[in-house]
Amino acid sequence: DREYYENIWQQIDDLKSHEVYHPYEDVERIRMYIHDGKAEDGKKLAEDLSKRYPEDDYVIYWCGRLFWHLEGWEHARECWQGILRIHPEQYNARVGMADYHLKTGKYVKAKKLIMDLLEENGRDDYTMNLMREVNPHLIEYYKKLAKEGILPEKEDSEPHGAIEENENNAAKEE
């Protein structure tokens, strides 16, 4: 696996010899910067690509991911929202927005989006991990509401099996 990734940089650079350019070459560079933990090295490239190809969802998604790795939450959100304005059902941009909502403490919004995504693709490990991450926050949120005697909105209050599972696991650990 490591050898495979080591050769990718060389393969991407070899594309220059064909004297034909496609922006996905640079997207692959961005993906490798992220993979190698060198997102900062790809920042200027991502900024340039996102300006030159604002309607290419593949380009913009990966630019958003790079900004995400640089903790540029708002910049990443702008990328993903830009995609969703053009392609409202684009799966990866919606995953990015779920990430954003989770990171910014909008747990109910994140849960709803994650649930929709998992209904589409229940085998998506990344999205399943987002659900595992959001559940403890939601449990605390609902406990706080209950303690204050506030009933959540109906659509926010229907527990999902995963939430109940986390609550049961927490109870076992206590």
Side-chain angles (χ1 to χ4, degrees), residues 7-165:
N7 292 329
I8 288 179
W9 279 112
Q10 183 60 49
Q11 292 172 6
I12 293 170
D13 288 340
D14 288 348
L15 291 172
K16 291 178 185 175
S17 68
H18 296 287
E19 298 180 17
V20 175
Y21 173 77
H22 194 282
Y24 289 9
E25 291 176 39
D26 285 332
V27 171
E28 292 308 309
R29 285 182 179 83
I30 286 172
R31 291 180 66 190
M32 288 306 298
Y33 285 129
I34 293 168
H35 176 270
D36 290 350
K38 298 178 179 179
E40 188 64 45
D41 293 347
K43 183 178 180 182
K44 183 166 177 24
L45 179 60
E47 289 170 345
D48 180 52
L49 279 178
S50 63
K51 288 176 187 157
R52 289 182 19 217
Y53 303 98
E55 294 189 10
D56 188 312
D57 59 329
Y58 186 72
V59 169
I60 299 303
Y61 172 75
W62 282 104
C63 290
R65 270 291 153 210
L66 183 121
F67 297 135
W68 185 260
H69 282 272
L70 294 172
E71 298 184 3
W73 320 127
E74 293 303 319
H75 203 159
R77 178 191 58 79
E78 289 168 12
C79 289
W80 299 325
Q81 282 186 328
I83 294 169
L84 293 172
R85 276 192 288 281
I86 299 166
H87 308 287
E89 295 302 314
Q90 210 276 359
Y91 186 86
N92 288 329
R94 290 186 298 139
V95 170
M97 289 305 298
D99 245 341
Y100 173 79
H101 294 315
L102 178 59
K103 179 55 95 179
T104 57
K106 298 175 186 136
Y107 304 122
V108 173
K109 205 171 198 177
K111 180 201 87 168
K112 182 177 178 352
L113 188 49
I114 292 166
M115 293 295 295
D116 291 344
L117 290 162
L118 289 174
E119 192 165 308
E120 268 180 62
N121 182 1
R123 295 178 181 258
D124 182 346
D125 289 337
Y126 188 86
T127 305
M128 283 298 297
N129 286 332
L130 288 178
M131 179 59 90
R132 287 182 193 100
E133 194 174 332
V134 77
N135 283 338
H137 297 288
L138 287 170
I139 291 166
E140 290 306 312
Y141 168 72
Y142 293 133
K143 283 180 180 178
K144 181 181 175 197
L145 288 180
K147 197 179 257 186
E148 295 172 6
I150 300 170
L151 293 175
E153 298 295 320
K154 179 165 176 32
E155 68 181 42
D156 296 345
S157 63
E158 296 176 8
H160 181 266
I163 295 172
E164 294 170 345
E165 179 184 330

